[in-house]
Amino acid sequence: MPELVAPRYDSAGVQQGEVLLDPAVFGITPNRDVMHQVVVAHLAARRSGTARTKTRAEVRGGGRKPWRQKGLGRARHGSIRSPIWVGGGKAHGPRDRNYVQRAPKKMRALALRSALSARASEGAVKIIGGFDWEVPRTRLAASLLSEIGATGKALVVVDRSEEIAVRSFRNLSHVILGRPGMLNTYDVLWAGTVIFSGLALGQTAGGTAGSQSGRFEISDEDFVMEAGAAPATLGREAS
């Protein structure tokens, strides 16, 4: 199997080589069914479920019979708050509900790796070695994306310490920011290009061989480190 690589750029958008990607994360055969199910669960969890209407028992008024049962030639009614009256209660209307769907952590793990592998197979994974910008500038971030060919929607994954990069990218409407440990399948599939900083790439699956970080497992936030486990290597520079 050929080595899976991604181009590496500096903060000005100049290519400086390639990075080898871990085939266990970026080189699997994407499982479309699992990705679909996880994305549906993700979107369902974002629904508030607060739409609610009042039934005839909850609408104010209508405590007495509007007119007598017989003798007037009118239809029989017991309350002006019946659903067939204007201002009455709503029959079979929406009620408070929870839309959350259960997605097992192994399924979320497979879906996320499938999405990353799909983007890698398309050549849509790019690496930024580091950001040497002295101050946050949206103009610098937009220029970088243009130089590396990320002209559409992009997911930029940066380390928490790269605050200048975060503040530079956050005002771009076609860019969403991610952090190691907070990735999800929907964001990866939403973006046409997935961009990792050098620090974020190493931390996404446990860091480099010399780090103190542990193995990463899939939990409610997808990649969550498990303390005390052996480190794994996600990406390393190609020689």
Side-chain angles (χ1 to χ4, degrees), residues 4-239:
L4 191 62
V5 298
R8 178 168 56 89
Y9 302 88
D10 62 12
S11 59
V14 179
Q15 186 168 350
Q16 294 186 327
E18 295 179 328
V19 174
L20 295 177
L21 300 176
D22 184 358
V25 177
F26 291 93
I28 71 172
T29 300
N31 190 316
R32 296 171 61 91
D33 293 335
V34 170
M35 285 193 292
H36 175 267
Q37 188 168 342
V38 169
V39 167
V40 169
H42 175 84
L43 295 177
R46 292 169 55 175
R47 301 182 65 176
S48 62
T50 57
R52 188 177 188 276
T53 57
K54 292 183 178 181
T55 66
R56 63 182 297 168
E58 298 167 320
V59 178
R60 183 182 177 88
R64 69 178 180 86
K65 190 175 177 66
W67 51 74
R68 67 176 186 263
Q69 183 84 347
K70 293 179 176 293
L72 299 179
R74 301 175 184 174
R76 297 170 291 185
H77 288 289
S79 171
I80 63 173
R81 292 304 175 233
S82 168
I84 66 176
W85 282 67
V86 174
K90 179 70 173 178
H92 309 297
R95 308 293 287 179
D96 296 334
R97 60 173 294 184
N98 183 3
Y99 288 96
V100 172
Q101 300 180 20
R102 180 176 178 271
K105 70 177 184 179
K106 288 186 178 180
M107 180 181 292
R108 295 197 304 272
L110 177 58
L112 182 56
R113 293 186 174 97
S114 294
L116 291 172
S117 297
R119 287 292 175 258
S121 67
E122 298 166 354
V125 175
K126 302 179 185 295
I127 313 300
I128 306 300
F131 298 95
D132 57 3
W133 302 332
E134 296 181 356
V135 292
R137 286 287 185 272
T138 302
R139 173 173 50 83
L140 294 176
S143 175
L144 171 61
L145 294 177
S146 178
E147 290 295 329
I148 67 176
T151 56
K153 296 180 291 188
L155 168 64
V156 179
V157 186
V158 295
D159 180 65
R160 188 177 300 275
S161 64
E162 297 173 304
E163 183 64 23
I164 290 180
V166 172
R167 295 171 64 185
S168 298
F169 282 104
R170 67 184 180 184
N171 285 334
L172 296 174
S173 60
H174 60 289
V175 172
I176 55 176
L177 289 164
R179 297 187 188 278
M182 302 293 288
L183 298 179
N184 65 76
T185 303
Y186 177 80
D187 289 345
V188 175
L189 295 177
W190 173 88
T193 307
V194 181
I195 302 168
F196 287 90
S197 71
L199 289 175
L201 180 66
Q203 293 180 12
T204 299
T208 59
S211 68
Q212 298 299 317
S213 57
R215 177 169 55 88
F216 278 70
E217 293 292 348
I218 305 301
S219 184
D220 290 339
E221 299 297 344
D222 288 326
F223 282 115
V224 177
M225 184 169 63
E226 182 181 54
T233 300
L234 175 65
R236 60 186 187 280
E237 294 188 2
S239 57

